[in-house]
Amino acid sequence: AVAVMAPGGEAALLILLLVLPSASAGLSGYFGTKSRYEEVNPHLVRDPLSLGPGAGGSLPASCAPLQLRAVLRHGTRYPTAGQVRRLGELHARLLRRPAGTAACPAAAALAAWPMWYEESLDGRLAPQGRRDMEQLARRMAARFPALFAARRRLALASSSKHRCLQSGAAFRRGLGPTLDFGGDEVEVEVNDSLMRFFDHCAKFVALVEENDGAMCQVNAFKEGPEMKKVLEKVASALCLPVEELNADLVQVAFLTCSYELAIKNVTSPWCSLFSEEDAKVLEYLNDLKQYWKRGYGYDINSRSSCILFQDIFQHLDKAVEESKSSKPISSPLIVQVGHAETLQPLLALMGYFKDDEPLLADNYARHTQRKFRSGRIVPYAANLVFVLYHCDHVNASQEEYQVQLLLNEKLLSFHHSNETISTYTDLKDYYKDILENCHFKEECELPKVNVTAVDEL
């Protein structure tokens, strides 16, 4: 029915699909938080269970893993209801183009595109998201076989969101039936206080989440010259008056290109509207939002995550104490599933991916080589893993317990040493201030006096 409403649409769609692979080849690296996990680990395209280059790490042979703590982002998901609504609105505009208007192959082709997304999908986990998690679990077990062994206890927690609960269940499934983890079937415990700490932080909610003024840089960029250029180009390709489009509609067209790739592994006709240069501009728009809402833009973004950071170290402390007392480690495996919004503030709290200059609406050109690229940091199925080791034959007692940190299955260098392994003592010492002086309740209290949001932040 859609094709009938768009004269010549089927032919235009076919032509568009034939030229698409070359048209979209350069876009997939710029999808921000809607990026496939394979963008950060391209070797997984060929072999989803490959551990990739340099999988071994640099630990002495005398070190044995005691505890693994993983914070995961859920797998590939469907668009939210709001995104589906906006896409429907844009698609309807293309369908409404009068039959007699000038030939416009892109508009005809996209009108013929079957709009299959429904609001009921609202951010749910896609089948690809389940595969993301199952395969991640299998790779983790292959990388740390001593920890993922039979009868080792697995503590599995998740945010209350459906996509996270399903991701947790898929992770457990990926470990297979051979691992009985102490006999009982592993339940996924809901823990929003750790996985959605941002919802429980009144200061963050009032001054950032629900404060339009907090997103002034994002809004300014939407109206700026870079976005204006993309807007004009898309309007021209669709033969629509530029006034009928805005930054949000253009962004939803771009995100549809990303969703189709991540969910269905196809190149969507929506991709044809964008060049690589356009994609860089739209990635910056996404990153600006992440920066100001979840990253370094405001202190409360990262400070609100200290409840999770401290919990990680409390469990590491407990494992060290148990090891020193020659007791079995009560929690050798702790896997928690949250959101990009769980991981991004935590990594900011730890000081990772911080640029010398803040991301602003007017310094896009200076940030082409920025560290803060959300698609590289928190794609779908992103994971931050702390691994605690006990090492024999060491020169000093503080070297007995060592830690490694992996982000998306790659070793991260520690800030205090630039090395990929640290003594547990040195790591705790480096983060001493956060571990001792970041109090979630106090950090998240709304100020009593009536100050403007910007002053407070």
Side-chain angles (χ1 to χ4, degrees):
V2 172
V4 172
M5 294 168 76
E10 285 168 317
L13 183 57
L14 184 60
I15 292 165
L16 208 51
L17 289 171
L18 289 172
V19 300
L20 267 177
S22 56
S24 70
L27 304 186
S28 62
Y30 304 103
F31 290 146
T33 51
K34 309 299 182 287
S35 296
R36 301 182 304 169
Y37 190 65
E38 288 80 1
E39 299 305 324
V40 293
N41 283 312
H43 60 271
L44 297 177
V45 174
R46 291 187 308 279
D47 178 5
L49 298 180
S50 163
L51 298 187
S58 55
L59 273 168
S62 62
C63 295
L66 286 183
Q67 186 182 68
L68 178 146
R69 172 71 170 264
V71 182
L72 319 180
R73 182 191 180 192
H74 57 76
T76 303
R77 66 163 173 82
Y78 290 111
T80 60
Q83 287 161 336
V84 173
R85 259 195 309 278
R86 278 196 290 277
L87 177 60
E89 186 188 327
L90 180 57
H91 194 241
R93 286 184 194 194
L94 297 175
L95 289 173
R96 284 198 304 267
R97 289 182 73 252
T101 51
C104 195
L110 288 169
W113 172 80
M115 168 63 182
W116 63 276
Y117 295 100
E118 294 171 2
E119 287 186 37
S120 60
L121 290 170
D122 195 21
R124 288 188 167 252
L125 196 69
Q128 178 57 46
R130 285 193 276 281
R131 287 191 287 275
D132 292 338
M133 288 290 130
E134 288 173 10
Q135 290 162 356
L136 176 61
R138 289 174 69 182
R139 292 193 303 271
M140 258 191 213
R143 199 182 295 268
F144 300 104
L147 285 175
F148 286 86
R151 291 181 299 285
R152 300 301 294 267
R153 182 169 173 267
L154 168 65
L156 199 52
S158 159
S159 104
S160 57
K161 292 289 181 185
H162 197 268
R163 57 185 170 273
C164 295
L165 287 163
Q166 284 203 326
S167 290
F171 185 92
R172 172 65 189 93
R173 240 185 350 266
L175 296 173
T178 52
L179 299 179
D180 62 9
F181 295 111
D184 298 328
E185 184 52 38
V186 178
E187 289 293 314
V188 182
E189 174 210 346
V190 171
N191 190 336
D192 277 345
S193 64
L194 290 183
M195 291 297 96
R196 293 183 66 83
F197 50 78
F198 40 89
D199 283 346
H200 301 262
C201 185
K203 184 175 178 182
F204 169 78
V205 171
L207 301 188
V208 181
E209 184 76 64
E210 294 176 354
N211 174 19
D212 292 340
M215 293 298 105
C216 60
Q217 294 298 324
V218 179
N219 296 328
F221 189 73
K222 284 180 180 179
E223 304 297 325
E226 293 89 1
M227 273 304 295
K228 192 163 179 260
K229 199 171 156 189
V230 176
L231 207 65
E232 286 168 354
K233 191 181 147 192
V234 171
S236 169
L238 295 175
C239 307
L240 285 173
V242 75
E243 308 78 61
E244 281 197 31
L245 286 180
N246 58 37
D248 291 339
L249 288 175
V250 168
Q251 196 175 27
V252 92
F254 183 61
L255 291 181
T256 304
C257 171
S258 79
Y259 282 121
E260 305 265 275
L261 180 66
I263 294 166
K264 295 172 124 183
N265 197 26
V266 298
T267 301
S268 170
W270 291 97
C271 304
S272 69
L273 297 174
F274 305 99
S275 67
E276 191 172 352
E277 198 46 56
D278 302 331
K280 289 176 183 176
V281 172
L282 287 156
E283 180 197 28
Y284 192 72
L285 176 59
N286 186 326
D287 286 350
L288 262 181
K289 184 181 173 189
Q290 291 296 316
Y291 183 88
W292 289 95
K293 210 167 197 170
R294 307 293 176 185
Y296 291 103
Y298 302 112
D299 276 349
I300 191 58
N301 298 351
S302 59
R303 297 293 285 183
S304 61
S305 75
C306 69
I307 189 170
L308 173 56
F309 189 68
Q310 289 163 343
D311 186 79
I312 290 168
F313 278 84
Q314 282 160 12
H315 280 92
L316 293 169
D317 280 348
K318 191 177 179 194
V320 168
E321 283 165 28
E322 289 169 337
S323 167
K324 283 180 175 172
S325 312
S326 303
K327 292 177 183 168
I329 306 302
S330 53
S331 300
L333 288 172
I334 305 169
V335 176
Q336 298 169 308
V337 190
H339 307 262
E341 297 89 337
T342 312
L343 277 166
Q344 192 78 75
L346 183 62
L347 285 159
L349 185 73
M350 295 176 72
Y352 284 101
F353 308 107
K354 186 172 190 179
D355 293 285
D356 295 337
E357 194 180 343
L359 273 64
L360 302 170
D362 62 2
N363 63 5
Y364 166 73
R366 292 202 297 280
H367 273 304
T368 51
Q369 301 300 314
R370 66 188 177 279
K371 296 174 192 168
F372 193 91
R373 290 186 66 201
S374 58
R376 304 271 136 198
I377 306 167
V378 286
Y380 295 124
N383 49 90
L384 180 65
V385 178
F386 291 76
V387 190
L388 175 70
Y389 295 88
H390 177 259
C391 302
D392 293 322
H393 317 303
V394 290
N395 300 322
S397 61
Q398 66 260 38
E399 290 176 14
E400 199 178 335
Y401 295 96
Q402 307 211 21
V403 187
Q404 282 194 321
L405 199 54
L406 294 94
L407 177 66
N408 301 329
E409 300 174 77
K410 295 188 188 82
L411 289 168
L412 262 185
S413 294
F414 291 102
H415 282 307
H416 59 277
S417 63
N418 239 5
E419 304 287 338
T420 56
I421 183 154
S422 167
T423 67
Y424 185 51
T425 311
D426 284 351
L427 183 62
K428 277 186 72 175
D429 193 49
Y430 181 73
Y431 289 116
K432 187 172 189 243
D433 183 55
I434 298 169
L435 291 171
E436 292 179 3
N437 301 318
C438 185
H439 305 289
F440 182 80
K441 191 168 175 289
E442 287 81 355
E443 298 280 345
C444 287
E445 256 178 0
L446 271 170
K448 302 285 187 287
V449 290
N450 190 15
V451 294
T452 67
V454 174
D455 287 346
E456 173 59 25
L457 291 164

